[in-house]
Amino acid sequence: MGHRISEESTTTDIIKQGIRTKEDYEIYCKFWPKWLAKLLAGLYQNSEKSNNIEKEKNKYEK
């Protein structure tokens, strides 16, 4: 599934600063043990790699 990415978006900003990963981890800790929360946060962090302006530009230029 595709999504639009903007360099000026709040989502892009908090991902770059690492805030999103920290917040996700804190939320996961409320529901699961810390070891599992860390694993889930790490897996979810991989999905944030798709929030890349250059990668999206290159994909459509080919």
Side-chain angles (χ1 to χ4, degrees):
M1 179 168 80
H3 65 279
R4 290 182 292 163
I5 301 168
S6 171
E7 290 182 42
E8 295 85 26
S9 74
T10 301
T11 300
T12 298
D13 190 41
I14 64 173
I15 288 172
K16 285 180 182 177
Q17 293 181 36
I19 296 170
R20 176 125 179 209
T21 302
K22 182 181 176 199
E23 288 176 347
D24 290 342
Y25 174 71
E26 290 172 1
I27 291 169
Y28 295 151
C29 283
K30 293 180 181 205
F31 299 100
W32 294 290
K34 288 187 179 188
W35 68 268
L36 183 54
K38 186 174 183 177
L39 176 67
L40 292 171
L43 291 172
Y44 192 75
Q45 187 177 17
N46 285 331
S47 70
E48 295 171 357
K49 293 176 184 173
S50 69
N51 197 67
N52 182 316
I53 300 290
E54 292 304 316
K55 183 177 174 184
E56 286 296 307
K57 285 181 186 176
N58 292 337
K59 183 169 73 173
Y60 293 109
E61 289 177 356
K62 293 181 180 179

